Amino acid sequence: MATDKQSFYELYRQSSVGAALMDALDDLIMETRIDPQLAMKILANFDRAIAEVLQNQVRARLSFKGSLDTYRFCDEVWTFQLKNVTFKMDSGGQVVSADKVKIVSCTAKPTGT
Amino acid sequence: MDQIPQPASINDIENLVESLYQPNSPAVISRIQESLQALQKSPDGWQIADALLARSSDNVKFFGALTFVVKLNTDTIDDDAAKLLVQKLINWLVVSLDNGAGSIVIRKLCSALVTHYIHFSHLWPHCIRDLVYCLDLNKGDILDDAKDAAPVGDIFPSLTPQKAISVTWFAAALAEEGEKIDSRSSKYIALHERLVRNSQDVATIVAISLSGSAGPRVQRDAIDALHDWMTYGERIPNEQLTANLRPLLRPTIECLVVDDIYEAAIEILTDSLNNWQTFFTKDDYELLYSLFDSDWSQKHYQELIQGDFDFAAVKFGLLMIAFGDAQITELLNPSNERAQRFLSGLLGLLAAQGHLVAEDKIFVPALDFWATLIESMTDDLFSEPDQPVNWNIPPLSYLMQVVSHCWRKIQYPHISVYNAWDSTERVGFSDARKDVCDLLQTMYTLAGDSLISVFVDLTTQSLSTTAWAELEAAAFCLGSLSDCLPDNDSCDAALSKVFGSQLFDLLRQGHSVVPVRTRQTCLSLIERYSEYFVRRAEFLPAALNLLFGALNESHLAGPSAKSIYRLCSSCRAILTPEVGAFLEQYGMIRNSVPMDSLTEERVVSAIASIIQAVPEESQRLGAFQQLLMLIASDIEKAIQLKSISFMLEPNDPTSPSDSPINLDADESSMAVKSSPELEQLQANIMNILAQTKTTFHDSLQVMSDINHVVRAGFSETEPGPFVFPPQMVIDLLTSPWHVAAPTAVNTAQVFLSYVHNGGYRGQMRQVIDQLLPWVISYIGMLGHPSNDPELAQFSIEFIQKAIQRCPDVLSRVQPHSNAEYIFTFAIEMLNGKEPLPKAAAADFWTSFITLKSDDEGTQGTIDGAMNQFGPILALSLIQNIGGNAARSELDKLSDPLKKLVFQNAHARQWLEAALNDDSFPSDKVSPADRALFLKKITRATNQVVKEFWVSCRGTGLGYTS
């Protein structure tokens, strides 16, 4: 369970919603409507909020099956490479297949920076 | 609206601050804030802050302290002024404490002191000691003497509780702000070192406060300060800091049993166990074990599992779970009796009284813990396969109890109880059931097929006792395990106990006997185990009869149709002899049973999948023709209704796949062979589409559906009714589209990939020759990309694919000015603000820069176009990279830049001219910076581009990593 005092990854800043937020903040800074320090705080809030929302609010699920080809665990990051993967959506939609899938996963609780 | 008059005196400012706290419209408040912020940022801000702190109102004092914070963050002052300032701030703190100022004032003054320390820590490195000393003597201007003062531990106990609390607040704010400051920056290394040195004094004041001599409020604030310092220590690890703070853990644990500070103590302990387990020593864990064995714990535990879910009780459960997480290795050790005793307590959390989520707030966190524990068990067992596995002793013996508790917990309550829940509680209940599914799937790895047998037995027992809620939960759990089963018949015998039981007979009896929810779950169970019915076809007719029968009940139609689709799809090879019966059945029910469009689509898809498996072509096409006639009659009705101003959405007979299909993949080409029957079918379908398109030309939804039908054939690898010949597709695409031109152009660009990789590759040139003028006519009508960004994007994507497939197409565009227009249009898209068209234009230019042709004439045309548009392209790219583009667009824009630099000899010259052009959007980079950018651009282009963009926009934009 996340608390205010926990630290959060910055990796979701590269998602489309994170990129859109950064573009908007850039524009606000350019228009001198906010300071870069405020933009940093907003991004830190975004890091927290998106991690919490993904953990607590997003309930969509999928299951997948495939052959594990390669895996490694380095610097607290797991990497799995799968072959012949089929994804089954929670909503009962059609099965999605992929020849190769790479999964990069970080521990839910980042260690100290 | 009246302007806020500029305050002329301190009294005016005081009145303005007070008016901020009066009821006012948002617009007035906004104007007051603007006016006050302008004052704070003015050169007189320091004097204003000082004067406001002398006033009597807490609101005004608060604003004075805030103004000091703003000035410290925005103004530059020298060390002498800073030294006077800290003395002044401490004096104000002393005075405010003496005057009994409110906590908002004291906290803000502490915050101002912390802000001062962040900027000038070298002026008073031992800030805690200095502050304690000054408060003890009620003076701020004796800061220099503090170094000779007695140790903090001697002075702090003599402070009044208010002063002690203010020091604790200062200490807490110090850690809170310090944590936000980058510890990797060389600029702040000294600050962090000084903070660590202060931690010894912090530990001293927290230890004295925790002793309780000054009352629970001081204890509570001390725990809060410790919490902030532990968070700081976790984020910025330091051995000395950890060693200073660690002795405070034991007194904090002892505070748990004090009612007034229970909440603060349990919060910090739970948080630390979750996030910083190594902070706890073996002795600390021993103390916590003893605590959990105490009567105090037993009382809290009993209250919780007996259904007391108030804040304090739930917090106790969360502490247990956090402790369990931290002790997971011990909990896996069967010989550790104390750990196993604690684990049985965690097991009990799954069986607390009360309905899931609506009442029981501890089940979901406890379930999360058990899922983690089971994963750890699995890791242990698989890493040491030779170790004996004993399911009769804890912790393994607890797992079946976990399953039992979960099964009971997810049972739906009586409908009256469920209906009384609000939507959040219902969603939470449903989500918790899904969490149980996850746990069962994790457990299957450990328990294997025996878990299937457990739920098969629970299902059959519940059936025999007609316990519907139990049956529903058992069927739900059994269904959740279907994905875990191996692709063999190892569980078929067990499953036959369910599907060969009286289940189908009972389900057929209607909702007066079996509740709807139970029937829904059981019907879904058939879908979940559709592979079982392939192997055990003897149960298939009963299952299908049940499912078709359920279509006429509105609550069951959805899950039934879904199950019909899955069963027919999985068992299509077995069902082909019955295709006629299916068509007949569908023909009957569509006239007698009202079905929603999704239900009917699934039934049609189910029958279509059986037809697809019919081996003999004429029989297959005949069956398809029958199905198509039924759908055509629906469309006919829709057209008739349209004529009387009604609107119906036609069914999509092809169920376009949701899965992405890579049409550009180099698949082996499909053999194009057709028969007169197939051609006739295709013509019939196309006629239906054309008729529908004409009738519903103003409906975006219908136009989109028509495009879906056309595209359905693009993903086929064998000839079929929807695999239309290219000319048929071209004729449809080039007919008028009115509101749906972007969708049609998008279909056209997908069509190019299909033609390239399908059996019609030889016709590519003719296809492009017919479609390109049509696409160019659209962009000609557009005028500017911003008039319809979507159409612009799809058009340029089409043109990009066309020139990739047939580079010579450019030289054949007539009139020749049209080719020039395409390039100008692509530059306009690159210069525009719309992200998707800009990305499409970047891709177009990336392709064009690298375009090569074996034909000399074509290559000459390409080179000529490049020479003509190269300088304009370079200017557009540089203007984007020079600050016009958004940060997120830089990677996309780097692609054509890279290609340009590496592929074209004139690129540097063009880029240099663009960098020095008068229209360059930034004045923040010097000519030398621009020249350096040009030199560096060949290495790590994306990173160089990003750095240059930040320089052009200004250093303020470098705020993100």
Side-chain angles (χ1 to χ4, degrees):
Chain A
M1 188 173 292
T3 69
D4 285 348
K5 301 191 184 298
Q6 198 176 315
S7 52
F8 295 89
Y9 290 113
E10 294 178 4
L11 54 89
Y12 295 114
R13 293 183 188 184
Q14 305 310 316
S15 64
S16 52
V17 66
L21 174 63
M22 284 202 288
D23 286 349
L25 292 173
D26 290 344
D27 288 345
L28 289 171
I29 293 170
M30 288 300 290
E31 293 160 11
T32 63
R33 290 168 68 186
I34 62 168
D35 294 329
Q37 288 81 0
L38 178 57
M40 280 176 76
K41 286 194 173 179
I42 292 170
L43 281 176
N45 269 328
F46 168 78
D47 296 336
R48 177 184 57 77
I50 195 156
E52 286 178 0
V53 165
L54 288 175
Q55 184 181 355
N56 302 326
Q57 312 264 323
V58 178
R59 309 308 301 191
R61 290 153 193 251
L62 59 78
S63 57
F64 59 90
K65 267 186 181 178
S67 309
L68 181 60
D69 187 51
T70 312
Y71 66 92
R72 63 175 166 271
F73 181 60
C74 187
D75 291 341
E76 299 287 314
V77 177
W78 278 104
T79 307
F80 303 97
Q81 292 186 14
L82 312 177
K83 281 185 173 173
N84 302 322
V85 188
T86 51
F87 291 88
K88 203 168 146 190
M89 311 301 168
D90 193 30
S91 57
Q94 295 202 355
V95 171
V96 175
S97 303
D99 296 340
K100 291 181 195 166
V101 170
K102 183 178 177 183
I103 298 172
V104 180
S105 55
C106 308
T107 173
K109 295 167 190 163
T111 51
T113 49
Chain B
M1 186 188 299
D2 292 343
Q3 290 293 317
I4 303 289
Q6 193 62 26
S9 65
I10 293 297
N11 281 342
D12 288 349
I13 298 172
E14 183 174 3
N15 290 335
L16 203 55
V17 174
E18 290 291 8
S19 63
L20 198 59
Y21 294 89
Q22 305 303 318
N24 267 316
S25 71
V28 171
I29 290 173
S30 173
R31 288 192 175 279
I32 294 172
Q33 277 177 330
E34 275 174 28
S35 179
L36 289 173
Q37 280 167 2
L39 285 172
Q40 284 179 322
K41 288 179 181 171
S42 72
D44 296 333
W46 296 106
Q47 287 75 31
I48 292 171
D50 215 25
L52 292 180
L53 273 163
R55 299 286 160 145
S56 57
S57 159
D58 275 358
N59 292 339
V60 178
K61 282 182 181 169
F62 173 85
F63 190 79
L66 175 66
T67 304
F68 272 122
V69 175
V70 171
K71 297 304 282 180
L72 276 163
N73 281 328
T74 52
D75 283 17
T76 307
I77 53 172
D78 61 27
D79 281 2
D80 289 340
K83 197 152 198 171
L84 290 174
L85 178 61
V86 65
Q87 291 174 1
K88 183 180 282 183
L89 285 170
I90 294 174
N91 272 331
W92 277 125
L93 183 61
V94 169
V95 170
S96 300
L97 283 164
D98 276 354
N99 293 345
S103 59
I104 59 160
V105 177
I106 305 300
R107 277 189 187 273
K108 195 43 91 178
L109 279 167
C110 289
S111 174
L113 280 165
V114 167
T115 309
H116 185 283
Y117 189 79
I118 299 294
H119 291 286
F120 301 102
S121 61
H122 58 284
L123 295 180
W124 52 312
H126 300 283
C127 57
I128 300 286
R129 181 200 66 189
D130 295 356
L131 186 63
V132 170
Y133 178 70
C134 292
L135 288 181
D136 184 46
L137 297 179
N138 273 336
K139 289 178 183 174
D141 49 9
I142 50 169
L143 205 60
D144 288 338
D145 305 332
K147 61 180 180 296
D148 303 320
V152 167
D154 293 349
I155 311 174
F156 186 76
S158 63
L159 295 183
T160 62
Q162 287 74 20
K163 285 179 179 173
I165 286 171
S166 67
V167 175
T168 315
W169 285 350
F170 172 77
L174 198 60
E176 205 172 327
E177 290 303 313
E179 184 223 326
K180 292 177 192 163
I181 293 169
D182 187 359
S183 61
R184 290 165 294 187
S185 163
S186 57
K187 188 179 167 189
Y188 294 113
I189 286 176
L191 170 67
H192 285 290
E193 285 172 356
R194 289 184 193 113
L195 282 172
V196 169
R197 282 205 291 277
N198 273 287
S199 67
Q200 180 61 61
D201 289 337
V202 171
T204 304
I205 64 165
V206 170
I208 295 168
S209 302
L210 282 179
S211 68
S213 54
R217 190 180 164 200
V218 176
Q219 280 178 298
R220 196 163 44 238
D221 287 328
I223 290 175
D224 288 343
L226 176 61
H227 203 168
D228 285 316
W229 275 90
M230 284 177 66
T231 306
Y232 176 80
E234 182 207 337
R235 287 291 304 269
I236 301 158
N238 179 285
E239 279 181 24
Q240 184 57 47
L241 176 70
T242 308
N244 288 338
L245 300 181
R246 200 169 257 149
L248 301 170
L249 203 47
R250 199 174 183 85
T252 307
I253 294 170
E254 287 161 355
C255 284
L256 271 175
V257 296
V258 182
D259 286 348
D260 287 338
I261 45 175
Y262 167 81
E263 198 178 308
I266 204 157
E267 191 90 34
I268 185 175
L269 290 170
T270 307
D271 210 26
S272 311
L273 283 165
N274 277 328
N275 299 319
W276 197 9
Q277 292 163 3
T278 53
F279 185 73
F280 289 73
T281 63
K282 195 164 178 286
D283 287 346
D284 297 326
Y285 283 118
E286 289 294 323
L287 183 61
L288 280 168
Y289 267 123
S290 311
L291 183 87
F292 286 121
D293 278 340
S294 69
D295 291 343
W296 176 86
S297 276
Q298 283 309 310
K299 178 176 162 287
H300 276 74
Y301 180 74
Q302 288 302 328
E303 284 170 358
L304 182 60
I305 61 168
Q306 283 166 16
D308 177 359
F309 295 109
D310 72 6
F311 183 79
V314 173
K315 283 281 174 192
F316 178 79
L318 293 176
L319 177 68
M320 282 184 73
I321 291 166
F323 183 71
D325 269 327
Q327 283 288 291
I328 222 152
T329 312
E330 289 302 313
L331 299 180
L332 291 177
N333 179 2
S335 60
N336 186 335
E337 282 182 26
R338 189 173 56 174
Q340 294 313 318
R341 201 163 56 244
F342 180 76
L343 190 58
S344 79
L346 288 170
L347 177 65
L349 293 183
L350 294 173
Q353 287 177 19
H355 291 300
L356 191 51
V357 179
E359 294 166 351
D360 182 351
K361 310 291 182 200
I362 202 65
F363 178 84
V364 172
L367 189 72
D368 194 29
F369 162 78
W370 278 98
T372 309
L373 187 86
I374 292 169
E375 279 174 12
S376 302
M377 275 184 191
T378 311
D379 287 347
D380 264 16
L381 290 179
F382 280 94
S383 60
E384 292 179 47
D386 298 333
Q387 202 179 340
V389 178
N390 190 342
W391 282 86
N392 296 319
I393 59 166
L396 276 170
S397 64
Y398 288 151
L399 294 192
M400 284 305 159
Q401 291 181 60
V402 169
V403 171
S404 171
H405 290 334
C406 289
W407 169 64
R408 287 189 190 286
K409 210 62 181 175
I410 64 165
Q411 289 172 19
Y412 274 93
H414 189 271
I415 190 72
S416 60
V417 175
Y418 183 80
N419 286 344
W421 291 348
D422 64 27
S423 61
T424 313
E425 289 165 339
R426 291 181 196 185
V427 170
F429 184 81
S430 171
D431 289 342
R433 282 166 62 97
K434 289 177 183 172
D435 288 337
V436 168
C437 289
D438 287 347
L439 178 127
L440 293 175
Q441 288 173 358
T442 308
M443 199 166 150
Y444 180 85
T445 316
L446 206 58
D449 292 347
S450 62
L451 200 57
I452 300 285
S453 299
V454 167
F455 288 112
V456 164
D457 292 344
L458 286 171
T459 306
T460 51
Q461 282 166 23
S462 310
L463 260 177
S464 62
T465 56
T466 62
W468 304 125
E470 292 177 14
L471 171 63
E472 192 279 337
F476 177 80
C477 293
L478 187 59
S480 74
L481 293 169
S482 63
D483 286 333
C484 304
L485 261 54
D487 298 329
N488 59 35
D489 60 357
S490 61
C491 291
D492 282 5
L495 290 171
S496 294
K497 287 184 192 170
V498 173
F499 295 121
S501 68
Q502 51 171 343
L503 177 68
F504 290 172
D505 293 335
L506 271 171
L507 294 177
R508 216 174 280 121
Q509 288 181 24
H511 64 266
S512 59
V513 179
V514 186
V516 167
R517 199 177 299 283
T518 305
R519 296 176 73 203
Q520 282 175 336
T521 305
C522 291
L523 290 180
S524 296
L525 190 63
I526 298 173
E527 180 226 333
R528 290 276 188 171
Y529 286 98
S530 57
E531 293 301 320
Y532 163 86
F533 289 95
V534 178
R535 293 189 296 270
R536 306 300 291 264
E538 67 269 28
F539 295 113
L540 195 53
L544 282 169
N545 284 335
L546 173 70
L547 293 169
F548 271 98
L551 282 176
N552 59 8
E553 290 185 58
S554 59
H555 288 103
L556 301 177
S560 298
K562 199 172 153 194
S563 297
I564 288 170
Y565 174 66
R566 278 291 297 273
L567 267 191
C568 289
S569 179
S570 299
C571 308
R572 62 177 78 182
I574 304 169
L575 294 171
T576 50
E578 304 298 328
V579 70
F582 275 97
L583 284 165
E584 194 181 332
Q585 177 82 359
Y586 173 57
M588 284 193 303
I589 57 171
R590 68 197 296 276
N591 291 325
S592 57
V593 177
M595 286 186 280
D596 64 40
S597 60
L598 183 61
T599 302
E600 190 162 2
E601 185 183 313
R602 281 176 172 157
V603 174
V604 170
S605 300
I607 298 171
S609 64
I610 301 170
I611 293 173
Q612 201 177 28
V614 173
E616 206 274 311
E617 188 185 16
S618 63
Q619 200 187 344
R620 184 171 66 243
L621 295 178
F624 183 81
Q625 176 68 22
Q626 279 187 58
L627 187 62
L628 187 65
M629 278 168 62
L630 294 170
I631 290 160
S633 74
D634 278 351
I635 293 174
E636 189 61 38
K637 277 182 202 157
I639 290 170
Q640 284 170 9
L641 285 168
K642 168 78 175 174
S643 68
I644 51 170
S645 304
F646 281 103
M647 176 71 195
L648 285 179
E649 290 180 6
N651 281 323
D652 174 1
T654 58
S655 300
S657 167
D658 289 334
S659 55
I661 294 154
N662 186 0
L663 293 171
D664 288 320
D666 195 14
E667 300 287 339
S668 57
S669 296
M670 174 204 321
V672 185
K673 52 181 183 181
S674 192
S675 64
E677 294 100 316
L678 183 61
E679 284 170 10
Q680 186 54 52
L681 261 178
Q682 289 173 332
N684 290 347
I685 295 170
M686 204 42 101
N687 280 339
I688 293 171
L689 293 180
Q691 205 181 350
T692 312
K693 179 168 169 282
T694 308
T695 311
F696 297 97
H697 61 85
D698 54 352
S699 164
L700 262 178
Q701 178 63 53
V702 177
M703 295 300 110
S704 169
D705 287 344
I706 289 171
N707 276 279
H708 274 306
V709 175
V710 175
R711 284 189 218 173
F714 297 171
S715 59
E716 296 288 327
T717 52
E718 287 176 20
F722 294 95
V723 186
F724 303 112
Q727 194 55 50
M728 233 179 223
V729 178
I730 292 168
D731 289 344
L732 184 77
L733 286 175
T734 52
S735 60
W737 281 93
H738 305 284
V739 293
T743 316
V745 176
N746 193 22
T747 301
Q749 59 120 342
V750 182
F751 180 55
L752 285 192
S753 296
Y754 160 68
V755 172
H756 179 72
N757 294 305
Y760 301 106
R761 189 178 293 189
Q763 297 180 38
M764 177 58 90
R765 188 178 299 273
Q766 296 93 301
V767 169
I768 292 177
D769 280 347
Q770 290 187 74
L771 288 177
L772 186 60
W774 169 69
V775 172
I776 292 174
S777 73
Y778 274 124
I779 60 172
M781 282 188 282
L782 260 185
H784 193 274
S786 60
N787 290 331
D788 189 339
E790 201 181 14
L791 181 57
Q793 178 199 339
F794 293 140
S795 298
I796 216 71
E797 284 174 356
F798 175 89
I799 295 168
Q800 183 201 348
K801 279 191 177 146
I803 61 171
Q804 274 180 324
R805 309 288 184 229
C806 293
D808 62 330
V809 77
L810 281 174
S811 54
R812 289 187 286 115
V813 171
Q814 290 301 330
H816 188 63
S817 60
N818 270 353
E820 265 189 52
Y821 184 71
I822 291 170
F823 292 114
T824 309
F825 191 77
I827 291 286
E828 281 171 349
M829 285 171 74
L830 209 53
N831 289 338
K833 289 282 178 199
E834 291 288 341
L836 293 178
K838 185 177 277 197
D843 282 342
F844 168 83
W845 284 109
T846 305
S847 296
F848 185 71
I849 293 165
T850 52
L851 197 62
K852 293 274 181 273
S853 172
D854 296 334
D855 179 69
E856 275 184 25
T858 305
Q859 189 60 48
T861 308
I862 295 168
D863 293 343
M866 200 60 231
N867 287 335
Q868 184 183 343
F869 285 92
I872 306 169
L873 172 64
L875 187 66
S876 173
L877 289 172
I878 288 299
Q879 296 214 336
N880 271 299
I881 293 160
N884 282 352
R887 188 192 298 265
S888 61
E889 294 163 349
L890 296 176
D891 279 332
K892 208 70 183 165
L893 292 164
S894 298
D895 291 341
L897 185 66
K898 265 186 273 190
K899 299 293 180 197
L900 195 63
V901 170
F902 286 105
Q903 302 269 339
N904 199 299
H906 304 296
R908 285 188 170 275
Q909 183 193 332
W910 295 337
L911 291 168
E912 192 173 8
L915 282 163
N916 295 314
D917 195 89
D918 289 343
S919 60
F920 186 76
S922 172
D923 57 2
K924 295 187 173 70
V925 284
S926 65
D929 292 334
R930 299 181 205 186
L932 186 64
F933 168 69
L934 197 55
K935 273 186 190 166
K936 286 161 70 178
I937 206 165
T938 49
R939 285 179 285 114
T941 311
N942 293 45
Q943 189 55 34
V944 172
V945 162
K946 279 176 194 166
E947 286 167 5
F948 186 68
W949 177 87
V950 169
S951 306
C952 291
R953 281 227 175 171
T955 48
L957 271 290
Y959 62 90
T960 178
S961 52

